[in-house]
Structures are given as structure tokens and as C-alpha cells.
């Protein structure tokens, strides 16, 4: 049976190929205007664009939304003399002539004749915005199509609540709660005793991450983790004469960026974090008595915090008596 189907498919393919010449294959057919596709999705090719004034004159249910829109950044682009993309209700919802055809009798518009945005997949929802913003917001959306958000079925409408007031995007105070809607694990990390002041609204997620996409892992704004962190922690940036090797690689070797039970944002408490790389004070000064751990007084000091002595742990310009940096500021 499978063999018969394969033979039939081969015959059909040969027949179709014979009917299509090279000239026909190379012919460039123009893409239909976006408005024609919107009419098709509305379900009636007779639907027409009538403008905001004509829509609102027949249906006053959306007057509050119209007032909010008038105070939004989008309304500034509605005048033709601005040279910006013309934006009105029909830019997103499609042609409105059929929706308001019987609005005077029923008292409301028939949303069944508008684009069913809620039923669109996330990528199609975003395309409604990208009609204008793919060009107007190129610096912000350069990496959107390849971003983790776009590939995880996140659309523009999941973050930008366009009909909840004149603000077209979340404020800095709202960003964290917006992100927590998906990133519940990050919310729990910010409840740790040591954390960046995001819950206190002194830092926002968008200070470090670009929600629209980035070339870096975790949507970081900086080209590296260290560059992202040093935007605020400039005193740790250097360059130093004696640099801590791990610091030059990535800050996350020692720190958790969102929160940790160990202060300050350490992956492990001191001295155990440092002991992963440094076996302890077993240098030549301690060889005669068997090392630091053989001395009761030194042992007590050793199991304190390393940064009590090595306070310039990220880097220093001060050499030690042995000619190398020991990251001590005095």
C-alpha cells in the first residue's frame, strides 16, 4: 500500500512540474496590502476602514478607552503631518464598518466583526504591533524574533496593557510584579535575606535585563555579566594591578544575582566559598609549625570571614611584602 502511494505521489509531482515552467516560477507576485489580509481575517471583504470619529459617533461604550488613548503616546502619531505611522483603533482591531453598522440600535458595537486578537497565537498578536514597531522601534526590537520571550509564546499584549489607562507600558514599580507572573522562582530568590533591592523598588528587572531580546544569555543588557554588574558597582570594575582571577571572568562565580541566604549575595558563606579555590594559609610562613590549622589562635581567625582581612577582595593596587597582591587594603 505504501509503495502504491509513493508511486502516485511521484506521478503527481512529475505532472505538476511539467505544467510549471521556469519563467512562471521566477515570476514575482506582489504581496497583498496588510489591509486586505485584515479584511480577510475579519471574515468579510466588504468591511471598510472608517476612522475613529465614525466609530465613536455610533458607539459610546468605549469612550473611556478613547480618552485614555487620546492621552497616550500612540495618539501623538495619529496626525498625518507628524510623519509617524498613523495609529488609531483600526490599526490594531481591523476595519470597523461592519462592527458599528447596527451600533445605534443595539447600543454597542459587534466585536465579532473585528480582528479576533484574543484567539490569535502569540506570534500573530505581536505582528499587529510589529506592523509599525518593526521599523519605528528597531533599536529595541532588533533581537525580538530570536528572543526567549518570543519563542516561549509571549506576545506584546502580555506585558503592554494598552487599554488600562494612558500609559502604554508598565511603570518601573509594576515591572517586577509583571515579570513574577512567569518567573516565580525569581520572586522566591528576592525573598532571601540578602538580595538586590528590587522588592524595595530601588532597582527594576529592566535595569539588568532587556525583555525585548539581547545577544547575551538571560537577556542581559551588558556584553558580559561583569559589564552588567559594573554599571552600578563601578568600584569593583578596575582595572587593578592585582586582580582576583574569578572576578575578571564572571561575578556569578561568587555571587547570586537575585538573592542568597549569604551576605552579600554569596553562593556560599565565608570561608567555605573561598576554600573552594584557596586551601588556606599554608604558605612558607607557616611551614615551621605545620600551617595555620595547627595553631589554636590562628585556627580561630581562619574560620572567620576572609574579607575581615582581605577587604579588597575584588582587586587591589597595593603589593604584599612578598611582591604580590594579597587583596589587603592596608
Amino acid at each position: 500500500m505504501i509503495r502504491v502511494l509513493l508511486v502516485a505521489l511521484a506521478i503527481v509531482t512529475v505532472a505538476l512540474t511539467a505544467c510549471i515552467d521556469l519563467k512562471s516560477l521566477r515570476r514575482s507576485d506582489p504581496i497583498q496590502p496588510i489591509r486586505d489580509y485584515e479584511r480577510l481575517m475579519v471574515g468579510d471583504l466588504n468591511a471598510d476602514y472608517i476612522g475613529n470619529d465614525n466609530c465613536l459617533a455610533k458607539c459610546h461604550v468605549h469612550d473611556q478607552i478613547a480618552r485614555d488613548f487620546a492621552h497616550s503616546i500612540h495618539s501623538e502619531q495619529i496626525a498625518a503631518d507628524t510623519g509617524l505611522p498613523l495609529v488609531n483603533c483600526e490599526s490594531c482591531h481591523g476595519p470597523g464598518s461592519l462592527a458599528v453598522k447596527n451600533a445605534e440600535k443595539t447600543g454597542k458595537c459587534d466585536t465579532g466583526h473585528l480582528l479576533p486578537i484574543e484567539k490569535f497565537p502569540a506570534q500573530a498578536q505581536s505582528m499587529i504591533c510589529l506592523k509599525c514597531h518593526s521599523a519605528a522601534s528597531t533599536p529595541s526590537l532588533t533581537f525580538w524574533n530570536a528572543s526567549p520571550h518570543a519563542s516561549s509564546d509571549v506576545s506584546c499584549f502580555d506585558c503592554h496593557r494598552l487599554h488600562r489607562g494612558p500609559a502604554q507600558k508598565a511603570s518601573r514599580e509594576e515591572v517586577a510584579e509583571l515579570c513574577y507572573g512567569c518567573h516565580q522562582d525569581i520572586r522566591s530568590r528576592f525573598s532571601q535575606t540578602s538580595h538586590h533591592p528590587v522588592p524595595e523598588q530601588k532597582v527594576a528587572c529592566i535595569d539588568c535585563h532587556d525583555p525585548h531580546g539581547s545577544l547575551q544569555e538571560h537577556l542581559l543588557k551588558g556584553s558580559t555579566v561583569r559589564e552588567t554588574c559594573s554599571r552600578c558597582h563601578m568600584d569593583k570594575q578596575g582595572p587593578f594591578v592585582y586582580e582576583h582571577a574569578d572576578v575578571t571572568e564572571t561575578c556569578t562565580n561568587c555571587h547570586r544575582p537575585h538573592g542568597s541566604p549569604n551576605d552579600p549575595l554569596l553562593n556560599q558563606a565565608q570561608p567555605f566559598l573561598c576554600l573552594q579555590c584557596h586551601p588556606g594559609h599554608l604558605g612558607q610562613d607557616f611551614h615551621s609549625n605545620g600551617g595555620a590549622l595547627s595553631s589554636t589562635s590562628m585556627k580561630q581567625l581562619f574560620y572567620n570571614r576572609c574579607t575581615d582581612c582581605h577587604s579588597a577582595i575584588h582587586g587591589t593596587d597595593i603589593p604584599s611584602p612578598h611582591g604580590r597582591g594579597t587583596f589587603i587594603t592596608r
Side-chain angles (χ1 to χ4, degrees), residues 177 179-189:
E177 287 297 326
C179 297
Y180 293 156
C182 296
H183 303 283
Q184 290 290 335
D185 57 325
I186 304 301
R187 180 199 290 270
S188 64
R189 294 176 193 176

Side-chain angles (χ1 to χ4, degrees), residues 29-38 40:
D29 293 323
I31 298 175
Q32 294 296 326
I34 292 178
R35 289 191 168 194
D36 290 344
Y37 287 107
E38 290 180 347
L40 182 64

Side-chain angles (χ1 to χ4, degrees), residues 286 289-304:
F286 300 99
N289 58 12
L293 296 182
S294 64
S295 169
T296 304
S297 59
M298 288 300 297
K299 185 186 297 185
Q300 182 179 0
L301 178 63
F302 180 75
Y303 282 107
N304 207 327

Side-chain angles (χ1 to χ4, degrees), residues 51-88:
N52 280 0
D53 294 338
N54 291 325
C55 286
L56 298 173
K58 295 185 178 182
C59 175
H60 298 282
V61 174
H62 303 302
D63 283 353
Q64 181 59 49
I65 293 177
R67 283 192 290 270
D68 290 340
F69 182 85
H71 293 89
S72 71
I73 187 65
H74 280 141
S75 70
E76 297 178 4
Q77 301 175 342
I78 204 168
D81 58 358
T82 62
L84 298 170
L86 300 182
V87 181
N88 60 16

Side-chain angles (χ1 to χ4, degrees), residues 92-327:
C92 298
H93 295 283
S97 62
L98 297 179
V100 299
K101 184 177 182 181
N102 300 314
E104 292 178 332
K105 298 178 181 178
T106 60
K108 61 180 182 179
C109 60
D110 184 2
T111 57
H113 288 289
L114 299 175
L115 292 178
I117 297 176
E118 296 83 3
K119 298 180 181 179
F120 285 174
Q123 291 81 0
Q125 291 179 351
S126 296
M127 283 301 299
I128 294 175
C129 302
L130 292 172
K131 286 191 303 181
C132 298
H133 287 285
S134 59
S137 303
T138 299
S140 299
L141 297 173
T142 301
F143 305 109
W144 168 254
N145 289 327
S147 71
H149 281 155
S151 59
S152 299
D153 291 337
V154 175
S155 77
C156 305
F157 303 133
D158 291 325
C159 300
H160 297 275
R161 317 291 171 82
L162 301 186
H163 292 325
R164 295 189 182 182
Q168 303 292 281
K169 58 183 180 180
S171 64
R172 283 183 61 86
E173 293 74 18
E174 299 172 323
V175 166
E177 287 297 326
L178 188 63
C179 297
Y180 293 156
C182 296
H183 303 283
Q184 290 290 335
D185 57 325
I186 304 301
R187 180 199 290 270
S188 64
R189 294 176 193 176
F190 280 122
S191 65
Q192 305 270 11
T193 54
S194 178
H195 58 262
H196 271 114
V198 171
E200 293 78 16
Q201 297 183 352
K202 295 181 179 180
V203 177
C205 305
I206 55 175
D207 291 333
C208 300
H209 305 279
D210 189 337
H212 297 110
S214 167
L215 284 174
Q216 311 307 322
E217 192 176 7
H218 305 303
L219 297 175
L220 290 180
K221 285 189 171 181
S223 58
T224 62
V225 172
R226 186 186 182 189
E227 182 184 330
T228 304
C229 298
S230 61
R231 291 183 176 188
C232 295
H233 304 282
M234 290 181 285
D235 58 317
K236 310 296 191 297
Q237 184 178 10
F240 302 103
V241 176
Y242 303 100
E243 291 188 319
H244 204 158
D246 283 0
V247 177
T248 61
E249 184 181 348
T250 174
C251 306
T252 54
N253 283 341
C254 298
H255 299 279
R256 295 181 183 178
H258 299 106
S260 169
N262 308 301
D263 190 49
L265 293 172
L266 293 178
N267 293 328
Q268 283 185 286
Q270 296 187 63
F272 308 108
L273 175 67
C274 304
L275 288 174
Q276 294 181 22
C277 298
H278 305 283
H281 289 119
L282 300 178
Q284 59 182 1
D285 292 344
F286 300 99
H287 283 174
S288 59
N289 58 12
L293 296 182
S294 64
S295 169
T296 304
S297 59
M298 288 300 297
K299 185 186 297 185
Q300 182 179 0
L301 178 63
F302 180 75
Y303 282 107
N304 207 327
R305 295 180 305 177
C306 303
T307 52
D308 288 346
C309 293
H310 302 277
S311 52
I313 198 64
H314 294 92
T316 180
D317 297 327
I318 301 175
S320 69
H322 304 287
R324 60 180 182 276
T326 53
F327 305 100

